[in-house]
Amino acid sequence: MLKVNNIDVFYGNIHALKEVSLEVNEGEIVTLIGANGAGKSTLLKTLSGLLKPKKGEVLYQTQQIGGKPAQAIVKVGISHVPEGRRVFSTMSVEENLELGAYLRTDREEIKKDIANVYGLFPILGERRKQPSGTLSGGEQQMLAMGRALMAKPKLLLLDEPSMGLAPLIVKQIFEIIKMVNEKGTTVLLVEQNANMALSIANRAYVIETGKIVLSGTAKELQESEQVKAAYLGGL
């Protein structure tokens, strides 16, 4: 579904991604793990059109999308849930969800999909008229995911969904990621909580200082001594 071939990405003079290659097959959950500043968020921003690769290609269903504007990438079926959630804090929960569907014109289907999001995240249904800035961190994460799902993505890019959340909420968020995947959405998950990410993923990549240094099935990486020492607390 997604194939990244040898991309280089720069922030000014900083070489943030160095010849990164990876692929995501339809129906998978693929996770990218790595320390802070390793290039994980940079990769997702490049895939969603917020950054342009200097070199290499990004193929989505064989179509070259590297460097295309973000709205064109949403249109082909890729949605990005950014790090830090980025909800529109003065707008209500429901208005945030409606914004997620801004490229769509099928009004009745949009209503149905909002109802589906409330089915997935019942707490959002209870808070539908509330300004989203008044929600807890976990509720804002649910809203950010719900908003991304309103674009009807085939591929969902999730950036650090567990960041700053209580363990119980993290467990809930990961169960919902699995549910979204089982309903047919492919997921590329960037996550510092390597234990949780590997527990739900099919395959995984490890990124260090802008380079992919390891890849394999999630089980292989869970059992790798290198990964255990660096990311799994030596477990």
Side-chain angles (χ1 to χ4, degrees):
M1 184 182 240
L2 179 77
K3 204 170 172 59
V4 177
N5 292 326
N6 294 317
I7 61 167
D8 279 12
V9 177
F10 287 79
Y11 281 114
N13 293 326
I14 298 164
H15 198 171
L17 295 180
K18 301 157 190 162
E19 296 193 340
V20 166
S21 295
L22 59 80
E23 56 185 59
V24 179
N25 300 310
E26 193 164 350
E28 285 189 309
I29 297 177
V30 174
T31 186
L32 183 67
I33 58 177
N36 252 343
K40 304 187 301 295
S41 295
T42 301
L43 178 62
L44 289 198
K45 285 177 184 168
T46 306
L47 299 180
S48 65
L50 299 174
L51 293 171
K52 288 187 178 183
K54 193 109 181 208
K55 183 182 116 227
E57 56 182 6
V58 179
L59 299 171
Y60 173 71
Q61 296 180 328
T62 71
Q63 180 186 349
Q64 160 62 17
I65 59 163
K68 283 197 167 183
Q71 65 272 25
I73 287 174
V74 172
K75 217 173 211 168
V76 298
I78 299 176
S79 283
H80 183 181
V81 180
E83 184 183 354
R85 310 185 253 284
R86 308 284 177 90
V87 297
F88 297 98
S89 59
T90 57
M91 297 172 80
S92 72
V93 164
E94 194 141 307
E95 286 166 338
N96 268 267
L97 293 177
E98 285 166 352
L99 262 181
Y102 80 106
L103 284 176
R104 294 171 55 186
T105 51
D106 48 343
R107 290 278 134 221
E108 287 311 305
E109 282 300 308
I110 288 171
K111 278 183 195 163
K112 277 186 205 164
D113 286 337
I114 288 177
N116 289 340
V117 169
Y118 292 150
L120 205 52
F121 306 103
I123 192 73
L124 296 183
E126 290 169 31
R127 309 219 190 292
R128 68 184 71 192
K129 299 297 176 202
Q130 230 174 277
S132 59
T134 64
L135 302 179
S136 70
E139 290 160 359
Q140 287 190 12
Q141 184 61 52
M142 291 172 194
L143 179 55
M145 286 168 67
R147 183 179 61 192
L149 291 171
M150 287 302 299
K152 278 191 161 326
K154 297 184 189 80
L155 174 62
L156 187 62
L157 310 175
L158 284 170
D159 196 351
E160 303 283 10
S162 77
M163 188 181 272
L165 303 181
L168 202 63
I169 303 293
V170 171
K171 193 168 178 286
Q172 205 181 339
I173 294 286
F174 275 80
E175 278 163 9
I176 290 162
I177 295 169
K178 260 168 65 180
M179 215 185 299
V180 165
N181 176 250
E182 281 157 12
K183 287 184 175 182
T185 306
T186 304
V187 177
L188 177 57
L189 168 67
V190 152
E191 184 52 75
Q192 267 194 299
N193 186 336
N195 265 321
M196 285 298 281
L198 292 171
S199 75
I200 66 164
N202 303 97
R203 291 187 305 107
Y205 292 87
V206 177
I207 187 167
E208 287 178 5
T209 58
K211 284 183 175 173
I212 301 287
V213 294
L214 264 183
S215 67
T217 66
K219 194 173 181 339
E220 284 166 352
L221 264 67
Q222 272 174 316
E223 290 167 359
S224 149
E225 293 306 321
Q226 193 181 339
V227 172
K228 279 184 194 173
Y231 303 105
L232 304 179
L235 295 173

